[in-house]
Amino acid sequence: MQQLNQEVIDLYDYFIHSDMDRRVFMDRLVRLVGGAAAANAALALLQSNYALAQTVPENDPRLVSETWSYTGPHGTMNGSLVRLRGGARRPAVLVIHENRGLNPHIRDVTRRIALEGFLAFGIDSLSLDGGTPADEDAARAMFAKVDLNRIGESVAAAVKALSAHPEATGKVGAVGFCWGGGMVNQLAWRAPDLAAGVAYYGMQAPADKVPAINAALLLHYAGTDERINAGIETYRKALTDAGKTFEIHLYEGTQHAFNNDTGGARYNAEAARLAWSRTIAHFVKHLGAPPKPS
């Protein structure tokens, strides 16, 4: 795969995590790489290609998938609930998306979690605002306007809802990516019943909220991610001082979103495999081993 200049990757990272207009982004990208053709080629290497998203088919015969909803403090929250066939009770894992909503990639990640034996729920955090739109830019624009406290309270309510599901053991964990990683850190203090959290390159919880955390945390960070990594040491100190259970892993040489296998140049297969193995082991340790397929 063609290597991209770090400045190009940083510009794209800023674009997808800000309210920058796509036209402004493309103008800056053109100036940075020296022309429209080069800019379009670079963008093709950076943006998500959802044709690659279905590593686990939607109709996989091993799985039962359904749209599932629960009532949160501000209204109905929707998402995709997936588990292995057989009706056995399983530890539950809440899957929280990036700032593009419940897209095909996160739906696929939800199915991957289900194949590991967990009751997996891929939440649509934009449920209260009409749900995730098909257009990524529209979804990104929505995240710039939503009430994050309202969403945080609504997503946190999923922990109790999942623990009460008839096919759940009562133990609930959460995994999130980018915006969703930050939401996992937020859930850790909002939802005292959360047993385990895994945050991929997510914004850290404020130090004054750390004493309220009960969940065992696993924190994955990219080696090249100044925006997020600036908060690591403060978070580490707060977690240590409060006696919390946590692990931090920094994957050298990787970019923000290294786990997203639809994300082209930023995806790092080796780091993604290692982080995934650690993620599943973390859930097995703190939620209990799920039953094997029947």
Side-chain angles (χ1 to χ4, degrees):
M1 179 177 290
Q2 178 183 341
Q3 295 297 310
L4 294 178
N5 184 286
Q6 187 63 47
E7 196 172 357
V8 171
I9 295 174
D10 289 345
L11 174 63
Y12 182 75
D13 185 69
Y14 179 77
F15 166 62
I16 60 175
H17 295 104
S18 71
D19 59 358
M20 180 185 285
D21 181 79
R22 177 169 284 269
R23 180 176 297 179
V24 173
F25 162 70
M26 288 303 297
D27 286 345
R28 293 185 184 179
L29 185 58
V30 166
R31 291 197 298 271
L32 194 58
V33 299
N40 287 327
L43 183 58
L45 292 173
L46 286 165
Q47 65 187 2
S48 296
N49 178 3
Y50 290 138
L52 305 174
Q54 199 171 115
T55 65
V56 180
E58 291 182 12
N59 61 350
D60 190 305
R62 296 168 293 179
L63 298 174
V64 177
S65 302
E66 63 179 308
T67 298
W68 189 71
S69 304
Y70 67 90
T71 302
H74 303 287
T76 301
M77 299 294 290
N78 307 310
S80 176
L81 187 72
V82 191
R83 67 278 200 194
L84 288 167
R85 293 188 179 276
R89 296 178 67 191
R90 307 176 178 281
V93 174
L94 174 65
V95 184
I96 311 177
H97 50 69
E98 302 153 320
N99 71 337
R100 271 88 79 204
L102 184 57
N103 58 33
H105 168 62
I106 296 299
R107 289 182 181 275
D108 190 67
V109 171
T110 303
R111 293 192 293 271
R112 297 178 207 178
I113 292 282
L115 281 182
E116 299 285 355
F118 298 96
L119 177 68
F121 180 56
I123 193 169
D124 185 350
S125 300
L126 293 174
S127 295
L128 301 176
D129 299 282
T132 296
D135 181 76
E136 274 203 356
D137 284 348
R140 192 172 54 85
M142 288 175 70
F143 276 99
K145 299 174 183 177
V146 294
D147 183 334
L148 292 178
N149 187 64
R150 180 170 172 252
I151 287 183
E153 292 174 347
S154 299
V155 174
V159 175
K160 283 191 178 299
L162 282 171
S163 70
H165 190 279
E167 291 184 37
T169 63
K171 287 279 193 177
V172 179
V175 60
F177 307 86
C178 185
W179 182 90
M183 186 57 67
V184 167
N185 284 322
Q186 191 176 140
L187 252 62
W189 60 264
R190 284 189 183 276
D193 295 333
L194 185 72
V198 181
Y200 281 75
Y201 28 83
M203 195 65 70
Q204 298 81 10
D208 64 345
K209 300 295 188 181
V210 167
I213 293 175
N214 293 325
L217 296 179
L218 175 60
L219 310 172
H220 299 303
Y221 294 105
T224 307
D225 194 1
E226 292 184 10
R227 179 177 59 89
I228 295 297
N229 292 358
I232 292 177
E233 292 311 314
T234 298
Y235 200 30
R236 187 199 303 272
K237 184 177 186 307
L239 290 166
T240 300
D241 290 349
K244 302 305 177 180
T245 300
F246 72 98
E247 294 179 38
I248 293 177
H249 295 285
L250 186 72
Y251 299 81
E252 296 293 348
T254 63
Q255 302 286 340
H256 184 89
F258 68 77
N259 185 75
N260 189 336
D261 48 7
T262 71
R266 299 190 299 166
Y267 172 58
N268 185 297
E270 182 179 357
R273 283 193 295 268
L274 178 56
W276 184 261
S277 68
R278 287 169 169 165
T279 294
I280 299 305
H282 185 76
F283 284 142
V284 169
K285 179 178 180 179
H286 296 286
L287 303 181
K292 300 295 183 183
S294 56

